[in-house]
Amino acid sequence: MDRNASLKLSTVLRYIVADLQQIRAMLRQARAKLRECARRAIRPSLFAAALLALLSTSLVLPEVASASPSHAHRTPTSSPSRHPNVCPGGPQLPPTPSIGTLAFLAEPSTNTVETLNMTTGALVGTAITVGTTPLGAAYWRPLPGSASDPEVIVPNSANHSVSIIDAVSRTVLATVNIPSGSSGEAVAASPSSPYALVVDVLSGKVSVINLTNNTDAGEISLAGSNVLSSVAFSSNGAYAYVTDPSQHKIFALQFVAGTAPYFSALTTWTNSNYNPTGIATDLTNSGSTNLYVTNSQVHSGSTSSLVAFSDASGALGTPTLIRNYTVATMGSLTVDPGEVNAYVAQPAQSKVDQIVIASGSATSITTSTTLASPGAIGLSADGLTLLGADTSAASLQEASTASLAATNTVTTNAAVAAIATALPPVGSWNAYVITSGTSTNVDVINTGTSSITNSFYDSHTPEAVVASPDGQYVYIANTNSVSVIATADVGVLSNPIVATITGIQGTQPSVPTLNGIAISPSGDALLVSDSTNGAVDVIDLNSADSAYRTVVQRLGLDGSGNHSTSQTTYGAMAFSPDGAYGYVTEYGFSSSTHDGVTVLAQASTTAAGYTYNNMDFGLSQNSNALNLPQTISVSPNGETAYVSGTNPTNSPYAGLFRCPLTPPGKW
């Protein structure tokens, strides 16, 4: 076999492997759909037909040579038809709400739990029958890699049991018996282990529920307790806290892996000036060490309060006062993701207060006449919707935490005693989105709840956005500057922009118009594309360099100094996995002669940053090849670049071009 034939065979085999990888990914998707269809009772024969259609879809991609402009390439295939509905046939069920939008409502007078879709304000499905007199509810989020669905843990106070509910199918998985005589009311589920704690308010004991096998793992006796009130886990799950207002105590329990009952009494905080009742932590942030407690005084005219403890070891110290109240009794307590606000029910005043944790200032959330005496409260996973239950009526009210106004009133089957709201899935993150058009706002979307959790103003007209590999910063390319966002300040400060990088133009002839941005895998260099000057600007992000957050190099396209008069950037950029190469899509001002990809080769890792290596031949640039290259992406192994663009001579013109990088990263 000659050299050319061998090279062709090697290329074909590489494409076959890539296609097999795509098939493998599609099979994983199909298996997920199969589980969905099984849950919805779709006939297997219908699914098999849909799966066959899915796998029969063409996987052919246009091909581009790695060097010679005259190299032949495969004609783009016509656009494949859309995949058929994987679950076809017959009347379709209403769409299943996202798990992150659900709230579970314990209703003791009917021995049921209802499910509420907080997005629509509508009850979902039929009520779930549990044990006798359910007075508590907690949402358990499975650990990463777990095959379990999220669960809702409901203690039934009148028949000494705990109901375990699958939050997805909304069915009872198991009923766990706890010792006779127990009156389980308060409950909390660990954020880091498969256990829940159920507090017997009268016996001074805590039952440990093993959620792996749905059994009672044992009880913990709290010495010196009388009437227990509430329970909450620390944000990292290492500790749990139980309040006893009658004895002025907070008990700290420590998680002990390996041996049942898996928790042990650790310390007891006592202060006769406090009657700790409600307790809350932020379970969305495992790094938080804060614990929020309501201090209710029993005598009229006494001062109640909301306080905070900081605890990383299970030993509570002196609390910090957030706000004093003149009311005798404070109701339910919760805090929002990020711990910006706390929410406290005030039953006697028929209101719920939003308290700014940093300042202690409070604003009452407007309530309708249907919420005469707020009891249980709950907060949606994104922190945007507050639920409040009326203690004396079959009524639940939704309110916006942004406008502090009632948005919806829900009629339930019975009065609600406890609310368990879903948590964002483990592994969810924030996405930063710039609204197209003339908007100067940056929206922050939580991927676990698919909702906007924050929005802030950028006065410099944002155009493109990228996050640092370590997640600490987000960089926004504006018209003529780069904004730096500290992600830790998002939701804490009204505007989390901590720096603005200017001086982009330098010696270039025109005021820049930035339209693209990319960051190296190491996070030490930032590339921004300038469409007006036909250039790529390099910004040093190594904090140890004297040139930190300044432009250290301006590179013209196609080897043309610090700017180009014939080509401009489309705004798409990518890096090789090792950061040795950067790629920038470009097209000519007046012709397609130089449409292609500029390749940048790293020359140093000092303040000099990247230097341009004249490798602008990655894509065929004759009239029968790629024109107007747009987006670009590099495979995780660095062996292939994918570029979208147009082919002026082959219908359907637009296509995805696959470009081998040999050796990995290099065109």
Side-chain angles (χ1 to χ4, degrees):
M1 181 181 295
D2 61 26
R3 178 177 177 83
N4 288 336
S6 177
L7 289 173
K8 290 180 180 179
L9 178 59
S10 175
T11 301
V12 170
L13 288 174
R14 188 161 60 248
Y15 291 160
I16 290 174
V17 170
D19 289 343
L20 287 174
Q21 290 173 340
Q22 293 183 52
I23 292 174
R24 184 178 177 185
M26 295 171 76
L27 285 172
R28 286 197 298 268
Q29 180 187 24
R31 284 196 296 268
K33 291 296 183 182
L34 179 58
R35 289 193 295 269
E36 177 186 348
C37 291
R39 184 179 295 126
R40 292 172 56 182
I42 304 299
R43 294 196 304 272
S45 59
L46 290 173
F47 178 79
L51 177 60
L52 179 62
L54 179 67
L55 296 182
S56 299
T57 304
S58 171
L59 298 174
V60 177
L61 294 175
E63 174 186 349
V64 178
S66 61
S68 173
S70 62
H71 187 91
H73 58 84
R74 188 180 306 154
T75 301
T77 59
S78 59
S79 300
S81 60
R82 297 181 62 184
H83 298 322
N85 187 347
V86 174
C87 296
Q92 294 296 301
L93 298 173
T96 302
S98 167
I99 188 66
T101 68
L102 298 182
F104 297 85
L105 319 173
E107 300 170 2
S109 65
T110 57
N111 303 325
T112 59
V113 171
E114 289 196 275
T115 308
L116 175 72
N117 184 342
M118 288 180 284
T119 299
T120 63
L123 295 171
V124 179
T126 58
I128 306 164
T129 300
V130 291
T132 306
T133 318
L135 292 178
Y139 184 90
W140 178 69
R141 178 175 56 185
L143 306 180
S146 171
S148 299
D149 285 338
E151 296 175 355
V152 180
I153 319 303
V154 180
N156 306 302
S157 64
N159 70 339
H160 329 302
S161 68
V162 178
S163 297
I164 312 296
I165 299 172
D166 185 309
V168 176
S169 64
R170 300 188 298 282
T171 57
V172 176
L173 296 174
T175 299
V176 181
N177 293 321
I178 55 179
S180 178
S182 297
S183 179
E185 295 186 15
V187 60
S190 172
S192 60
S193 62
Y195 300 101
L197 300 180
V198 176
V199 172
D200 183 345
V201 297
L202 299 179
S203 72
K205 294 182 178 180
V206 177
S207 292
V208 180
I209 307 301
N210 187 333
L211 301 177
T212 301
N213 53 21
N214 295 330
T215 60
D216 178 10
E219 282 67 48
I220 304 165
S221 295
L222 301 179
S225 63
N226 190 353
V227 180
L228 303 179
S229 178
S230 302
V231 59
F233 275 90
S234 62
S235 298
N236 63 4
Y239 306 99
Y241 305 92
V242 182
T243 59
D244 183 347
S246 65
Q247 299 296 309
H248 321 291
K249 294 178 179 180
I250 300 176
F251 297 93
L253 310 181
Q254 183 176 25
F255 174 60
V256 182
T259 304
Y262 308 108
F263 290 85
S264 63
L266 183 64
T267 60
T268 302
W269 179 87
T270 304
N271 189 317
S272 59
N273 295 319
Y274 289 83
N275 296 330
T277 50
I279 191 167
T281 57
D282 179 10
L283 295 183
T284 67
N285 177 17
S286 62
S288 172
T289 59
N290 296 322
L291 178 71
Y292 301 91
V293 177
T294 50
N295 166 39
S296 293
Q297 298 297 331
V298 296
H299 303 292
S300 177
S302 299
T303 300
S304 297
S305 58
L306 173 66
V307 299
F309 293 87
S310 180
D311 175 38
S313 62
L316 298 179
T318 302
T320 299
L321 176 67
I322 297 177
R323 183 176 178 83
N324 276 323
Y325 278 89
T326 57
V327 297
T329 302
M330 301 177 72
S332 300
L333 166 69
T334 189
V335 295
D336 61 11
E339 302 171 60
V340 177
N341 299 305
Y343 297 85
V344 180
Q346 305 287 347
Q349 282 73 39
S350 301
K351 67 177 183 177
V352 178
D353 278 353
Q354 180 192 68
I355 303 173
V356 179
I357 292 174
S359 65
S361 61
T363 306
S364 297
I365 294 181
T366 305
T367 59
S368 68
T369 56
T370 60
L371 190 61
S373 180
I377 61 175
L379 201 61
S380 61
D382 56 17
L384 299 180
T385 302
L386 182 76
L387 302 180
D390 196 315
T391 59
S392 59
S395 177
L396 187 78
Q397 184 173 288
E398 291 185 316
S400 166
T401 59
S403 65
L404 303 183
T407 57
N408 186 47
T409 299
V410 181
T411 300
T412 55
N413 289 338
V416 174
I419 301 173
T421 55
L423 293 170
V426 175
S428 61
W429 63 90
N430 286 337
Y432 293 77
V433 178
I434 297 170
T435 306
S436 61
T438 58
S439 173
T440 54
N441 276 358
V442 179
D443 292 333
V444 183
I445 299 176
N446 183 283
T447 60
T449 60
S450 300
S451 59
I452 297 175
T453 59
N454 198 272
S455 185
F456 54 88
Y457 179 70
D458 187 343
S459 62
H460 300 94
T461 313
E463 299 288 342
V465 61
V466 69
S468 63
D470 60 10
Q472 294 188 34
Y473 296 99
V474 169
Y475 300 91
I476 297 177
N478 306 307
T479 303
N480 188 23
S481 64
V482 174
S483 298
V484 183
I485 298 167
T487 57
D489 292 339
V490 173
V492 178
L493 302 180
S494 60
N495 194 318
I497 296 176
V498 295
T500 301
I501 301 173
T502 57
I504 306 295
Q505 180 175 352
T507 57
Q508 296 174 125
S510 303
V511 175
T513 302
L514 305 184
N515 64 348
I517 191 167
I519 193 168
S520 64
S522 64
D524 290 336
L526 192 70
L527 302 181
V528 290
S529 58
D530 174 4
S531 61
T532 298
N533 291 293
V536 178
D537 303 313
V538 184
I539 297 173
D540 189 310
L541 293 182
N542 188 341
S543 59
D545 292 343
S546 58
Y548 178 53
R549 289 183 179 172
T550 64
V551 178
V552 294
Q553 201 168 23
R554 298 171 180 84
L555 307 171
L557 302 176
D558 199 20
S560 50
N562 68 356
H563 71 283
S564 172
T565 58
S566 61
Q567 294 101 251
T568 187
T569 59
Y570 193 87
M573 294 183 288
F575 276 94
S576 61
D578 60 2
Y581 298 94
Y583 310 96
V584 185
T585 57
E586 64 178 71
Y587 63 95
F589 283 121
S590 57
S591 72
S592 62
T593 302
H594 293 286
D595 287 10
V597 175
T598 285
V599 182
L600 308 179
Q602 186 183 47
S604 68
T605 57
T606 64
Y610 288 76
T611 58
Y612 176 69
N613 190 356
N614 193 4
M615 299 173 64
D616 188 26
F617 55 80
L619 298 171
S620 302
Q621 295 173 351
N622 54 42
S623 60
N624 191 35
L626 173 67
N627 283 181
L628 299 177
Q630 299 170 12
T631 57
I632 183 169
S633 180
V634 178
S635 63
N637 61 11
E639 294 180 355
T640 308
Y642 296 91
V643 184
S644 65
T646 61
N647 188 315
T649 60
N650 293 284
S651 177
Y653 306 111
L656 177 65
F657 292 76
R658 179 169 49 196
C659 314
L661 302 177
T662 307
K666 185 175 182 179
W667 233 288

